[in-house]
Amino acid sequence: MLFNSLDFAVFLPIVFFLYWFVFKNNLRSQNLLIVVVSYVFYGWWDWRFLALIAFSTLIDFLIGIELGKEGDKLKRRGLLIVSVLVNIGFLGFFKYYNFFLDNFTAAFSIAGMPIQVNSLNIILPVGISFYTFQTLSYSIDVYRRKLEPTRDWISFTAFVSFFPQLMAGPIERATNLLPQFYKKRVFDSSLAIDGLRQILWGLFKKMVIADNCAEYANLIFNNSSEYSGSMLVLGAFFFAFQIYGDFSGYSDIAIGTSRLFGFSLMQNFAFPYFSRDIAEFWRRWHMSLTTWFRDYVYIPLGGSRGSLYGKIRNTFIIFLVSGFWHGANWTFIVWGALNALYFLPSLISGKNRKNLNVPAEGSRLPSFKETVSILSTFMLTVFAWIFFRAENMTHAMSYIGGMFSEDLFSIPNFTNLKGAVTLLVLIAGFIIIEWKGRGGQYAISKFGIKRSRVFRWSMYLLIILAIDIFGNTSEEIEFIYFQF
Amino acid sequence: MKSFLNKLSFFFIILLILNVLLFFLIKAFYIKDYEDVDLEFSSFLLADSHGVPIGDFSEKYDVHNFSGQSDSYLDMERKLKYLIRNSKVSTIYISVDDHTLSPTRENQNNLDRSAFYTSKEDYSNYFDFINDKYLKYYLIFLNDRYSLVIKNFIQEELFTFSKWGGRISRKQWEDLPIEVQKEKSRSRFKNYFEKPIASEKMITALQRIISTCKSNNIKLIGVRFPVSKVYFAMLEKNSYHADSLFLKNNILVFDFDNRLIEVDSLFRDMDHLDREGGEVFSNILFDSLKNTL
């Protein structure tokens, strides 16, 4: 079920009603309701893969209990390895099997020993990269004794399958989300209103910005050989806004929906395109994944302690793994490597934690220096997105080659000029709103909060109108991160 | 919870008021003309945008022009049934141009507006009927077409920069260089003839129109509208052959597609007459019919 579908518009109020009116007095039945509706939500896409979530849930639940009971260090480590193997095994099979197979056969062919192996036609279950990481966080935290193992099967199942963030995150830590299932939820009107506001903003990002940018980005990327350098630059620019609007829009809807049910999820995006360097960008982009890798991979590897060589090695590992997490394609690995390269100068100079505050904090506009930093970071990011979006490495290289051709500074030639101009105006408006709201959890979280209700509501109506008029409703376009 | 629900209800009421205001706006500049039909007539012309330039010139010949921009055969079928229910319709002139069975018409049609002409009998279930006739018709947030109309209006008015310094009239078709005429014709051709096979939905709708007319003793006459010289040459033998469906059923077809190819001054674009062309063609069409029938 997609957040931007009519199905969800019917599903959400029904669940809200059942949750707060029918099952409001019983925490256990509220959690059970979450499990049932989450499975319905997921099964709407493909019910066959429900067994996979159920199995993954069962394994980590049992391992958690055993980890709680077991005192022997070796046995505890063994249990953790089982959890990691099961979860990464699922991920490896569904996501990476064909990739490794293709690369092995290619390697053998290059070595002069061609082998014949048939690849499998495997469907990637939606959300597998997200919920496996979420359950893994539980096992690891219980292993590290940071979290008491749960014996509440329903709460644990609800934690793994919680429908707002099941398909594409935020990847929640068990330490944050699981305890919320133990506590009685009391309806908080202001929290719910904030949730609705965030859902509205998420829908705007997805339907107005991302889906319209997708139309141009897809057209340009899919026919890149036919376009001039300037059009290819615009194609990459549109993709940058497509992926941001799409993924952060999803996160906003997920977080907003959770708030309606009294849950608080972690922030996943913090205005990444206003970052002043790449290190800051990675603190602001897909924060739940970045911090997951930081806590469970980077720090155990030694993090930023030790020699410079160690720091550089760990940085590359983290970015390559992060790239590979996105998909079984060399383009994602190169995208990760490129970001690691971008990151290196600030790491070596020790300035990677320089920009921790809000950009242009306390002023309306950024200083000249900040503007240059923001724009250059953005351009580097857009360049890296080309690898992320390209079908394969050949496509990426030819796209970049075409971009830096003699017609790089030619006037872009759109078939639908009015549509393109409209979209650019919408993006400009979007950037202004995001800039004004950059101090909040999401752009409109504090917008007009000190003004009258009439002002605020007029603004909400305007956003609804913008979604209705400019939203791409020709088809329900899937969220990009569903494929990861 | 009570305060939350109160606020939510109040917000939805405001949203509903906004909906009503926008509906009246949409009604004024998008729906109103489409619902304009004179039921006193017994002969009607059903066509898409090709029939629109005829305007009310046909009334000189006692034929009411019931054409609508982008009307598909599904829209025309709804209109026909409406006429059968509400008038003494005896003759229907209907367009059977090369493109009218195009798959493009499945998406570019007036199903949102022609729902006005439907009744419960036209639907197999109540849900579809209520959804089409009332929900999508009155609730602007559920109707994608209304959104598109507003979007196009905004784009036209705001982003046509030439309008900012005063309205500049569109160049006449005849004044355009031949290369521009060809380019525009190619784009139109591509829009209609991208797929090689005709739309199954359009074919069955046209077949239903034929059988409905037969069972209600309504005389049905096919008309092929004039196109410009450049577009005529581009079409060559490309056609989804709506007319052959008529000929198979022994229904008369009047073919005027090359009748005005030497008079570019009567065209507004490659395949649409202008107002003057509409008057000229109306006379040609109905005089020919008078002489033949």
Side-chain angles (χ1 to χ4, degrees), chain A residues 77-136:
Chain A
R77 181 166 286 188
L79 284 166
L80 179 67
I81 290 171
V82 173
S83 168
V84 172
L85 284 179
V86 169
N87 285 300
I88 300 295
F90 278 150
L91 202 56
F93 175 74
F94 284 102
K95 200 165 172 178
Y96 302 107
Y97 178 83
N98 283 334
F99 174 77
F100 282 118
L101 201 71
D102 292 345
N103 281 285
F104 268 125
T105 48
F108 273 98
S109 299
I110 292 166
M113 295 179 284
I115 51 167
Q116 187 71 41
V117 190
N118 292 330
S119 56
L120 300 176
N121 188 15
I122 301 169
I123 303 170
L124 180 70
V126 169
I128 190 168
S129 308
F130 294 90
Y131 67 75
T132 48
F133 270 45
Q134 190 155 306
T135 51
L136 265 178

Side-chain angles (χ1 to χ4, degrees), chain A residues 16 20-21 187 189 192-193 196 418-419 421-422 425 453 457 460-461 464-465 468-470 473, chain B residues 1 3-5 7-8 10-11 14-15 18 22 140-141 144 147 150-151 154-156 159-160:
Chain A
F16 183 85
W20 289 115
F21 291 94
F187 184 80
S189 174
I193 288 171
L196 285 178
K418 280 175 197 162
V421 172
T422 309
V425 169
R453 186 187 288 179
W457 284 25
Y460 303 149
L461 290 173
I464 292 173
L465 266 183
D468 182 54
I469 295 167
F470 297 106
T473 49
Chain B
M1 178 62 86
S3 113
F4 173 74
L5 291 178
K7 279 180 188 167
L8 206 61
F10 191 45
F11 187 77
I14 291 174
L15 206 58
L18 180 71
L22 284 170
I140 62 141
F141 296 109
D144 292 347
S147 313
I150 301 174
K151 184 178 164 182
I154 293 172
Q155 283 180 347
E156 279 297 324
F159 300 126
T160 306

